[in-house]
Amino acid sequence: MKMRTGLLTAAVLVAGIAVGPSVLPAAASAPAASTAAPSPGPALEAAIAGLPRADATAALVRVGGREGVWHGSSGVHDLRTGRPADPAARFRAGSVTKVFTAAVALQLAQEGRLDLDRSARSYLPELIPASYAGVTVRQLLNHTHGIPAPGFPGTTVEEAYANRFQVHDPEDMVRSATSKKREFAPGERQHYLNIGYTVTGLLIERVTHDSYERQVARRVLGPLGLRNTYLPGSAARIAGPHNHGYQTMRLDDGTTGLRDVSVWRATDGWAAGDIISTTADLERFTDALFQGRVVRGPLLEEMFTLPEVTDFGTGEPAAYSVGLSMKVLGGREVWGKTGGRWGYNAAIASTRDGSRTLVYSVNSTDAKGEGMNRTAESIMVAAYGRP
């Protein structure tokens, strides 16, 4: 199994992992915020007030665009000291990584180095078996490929925590997934899974003869000046200042409480979910993406085109495009991407015209749980309105 090392943009590694208390301390000081124009500031301030609480220990929010600017933070840096959350902190952004991966893939398509209509197997014949020969690059990117998820040890958060330092090789994950029966014929349904982006990361490496991490850094992070964003590779610690993440789980004494999960290898996510960033960097990335400065020309429309299929599990219309997803909020289309790692939830979002953008990081205690985190949902509704 290969050990993958990512590119770090910070030199300081924060050491240590502690077990958090099972009872939340009193709330920190009121949210710090500033408004530069009429905006949903009061609703956003209310959405993140009172942290820490049962569902979240901290929240960082940035709203931008022509309709107004609002920046706010609430909660604590960590439960042990109770000091205020750092608004410039780095955090695990989870599946927001997919937007970066999709952007690189679309850049390569624009250069003629990757063909969206060509089969993934034609690029990786030794890895993708004949049973998945019909899966195209576009289907990998819009979750219509039909490849099931790979097998991982354990099914509970406690088992995941016990295996948190395990290194997952992307080729091994692809072999595990493609050894199973397909969920549906390629292009027939949509099922949101990480595996399509794991394959895409390997495609990027194959056609560029370079690492996925270096390609993201060279094509996106460097040109946009995203100095606090990086791909961690096999590193388990978040480099530089960060607010601690906590997860509700069974503790060593048999009780249920909060455990500090800030130190955790994210190699199971890789090109689908391992990026670490800040709200300021993700806001800059969102602005550039929606303005056509990351993916240029007609290929940008791939990110705003939903496949005409139904969801594999619910029968509802497809909600995911190449890299992004769409939801109607407050009567208008909002495009973006959420992400979750244990102890962390994040999102980027924008109206298509960029009139209102949103980036948030929520140190959620129920990440990867059923449904959307309460604080994260309140932020989204405050920024755009209800579905």
Side-chain angles (χ1 to χ4, degrees):
M1 181 175 287
K2 298 189 291 289
M3 292 286 289
R4 289 176 173 263
T5 303
L7 299 176
L8 297 182
T9 58
V12 180
L13 293 179
V14 179
I17 181 168
V19 176
S22 58
V23 179
L24 291 173
S29 57
S34 62
T35 53
S39 72
L44 285 164
E45 188 168 342
I48 64 174
L51 298 182
R53 56 182 177 232
D55 71 301
T57 59
L60 316 176
V61 183
R62 296 178 73 93
V63 169
R66 296 188 305 276
E67 296 178 357
V69 175
W70 191 89
H71 300 166
S73 64
S74 183
V76 295
H77 167 268
D78 66 280
L79 295 176
R80 184 180 62 83
T81 67
R83 58 191 176 94
D86 178 358
R90 294 189 176 104
F91 51 84
R92 301 189 189 278
S95 286
V96 174
T97 309
K98 292 182 176 70
V99 192
F100 289 79
T101 303
V104 171
L106 291 174
Q107 286 184 9
L108 290 168
Q110 185 177 35
E111 296 165 10
R113 302 171 73 180
L114 200 59
D115 185 342
L116 299 184
D117 294 314
R118 187 174 163 184
S119 73
R121 188 169 191 259
S122 67
Y123 292 100
L124 299 167
E126 79 290 354
L127 184 62
I128 307 296
S131 56
Y132 287 97
V135 174
T136 67
V137 176
R138 180 182 284 104
Q139 290 164 349
L140 294 173
L141 292 166
N142 68 15
H143 306 283
T144 61
H145 46 75
I147 306 173
F152 291 110
T155 58
T156 67
V157 61
E158 291 82 10
E159 290 169 321
Y161 180 76
N163 290 288
R164 67 194 181 279
F165 296 129
Q166 183 174 345
V167 175
H168 300 273
D169 178 72
E171 293 184 3
D172 288 345
M173 290 191 287
V174 174
R175 291 188 187 98
S176 170
T178 57
S179 69
K180 303 176 185 179
K181 181 181 177 181
R182 70 187 188 189
E183 295 183 326
F184 48 81
E188 185 180 87
R189 299 282 186 88
Q190 184 174 79
H191 187 189
Y192 177 83
L193 289 172
N194 282 349
I195 189 63
Y197 280 75
T198 304
V199 179
T200 301
L202 293 170
L203 290 177
I204 290 169
E205 294 193 330
R206 177 59 55 90
V207 301
T208 63
H209 306 288
D210 194 9
S211 74
Y212 161 77
E213 291 86 355
R214 279 192 293 269
Q215 283 295 305
V216 173
R218 185 174 75 81
R219 292 173 173 273
V220 183
L221 307 187
L224 295 182
L226 307 183
R227 296 180 179 85
N228 288 302
T229 302
Y230 71 98
L231 298 157
S234 60
R237 304 181 188 279
I238 299 174
H242 60 281
N243 300 317
H244 287 227
Y246 297 87
Q247 188 75 25
T248 301
M249 68 175 74
R250 189 177 64 254
L251 303 178
D252 295 338
D253 62 4
T255 63
T256 297
L258 296 180
R259 190 185 292 274
D260 191 325
V261 292
S262 308
V263 180
W264 196 308
R265 279 186 176 137
T267 55
D268 60 313
W270 192 51
D274 72 351
I275 208 163
I276 291 171
S277 191
T278 65
T279 54
D281 268 13
L282 290 183
E283 183 177 61
R284 179 178 293 187
F285 172 67
T286 303
D287 288 343
L289 182 72
F290 279 70
Q291 291 168 15
R293 294 189 288 111
V294 180
V295 178
R296 302 178 187 276
L299 281 170
L300 178 60
E301 289 308 308
E302 295 281 346
M303 305 190 87
F304 300 101
T305 303
L306 298 176
E308 295 181 358
V309 298
T310 57
D311 180 77
F312 178 57
T314 67
E316 295 292 322
Y320 296 93
S321 62
V322 171
L324 300 176
S325 63
M326 191 278 288
K327 195 169 186 66
V328 176
L329 298 173
R332 57 182 173 174
E333 290 186 356
V334 176
W335 294 83
K337 190 71 192 73
T338 59
R341 295 294 304 180
W342 302 113
Y344 297 89
N345 279 132
I348 64 172
S350 179
T351 53
R352 181 66 180 86
D353 63 0
S355 57
R356 174 162 294 170
T357 63
L358 168 69
V359 175
Y360 69 69
S361 166
V362 173
N363 292 62
S364 58
T365 63
D366 58 356
K368 296 182 174 288
E370 292 294 329
M372 192 173 184
N373 173 268
R374 170 191 162 194
T375 297
E377 183 175 20
S378 296
I379 292 168
M380 192 72 73
V381 169
Y384 292 108
R386 296 192 175 278

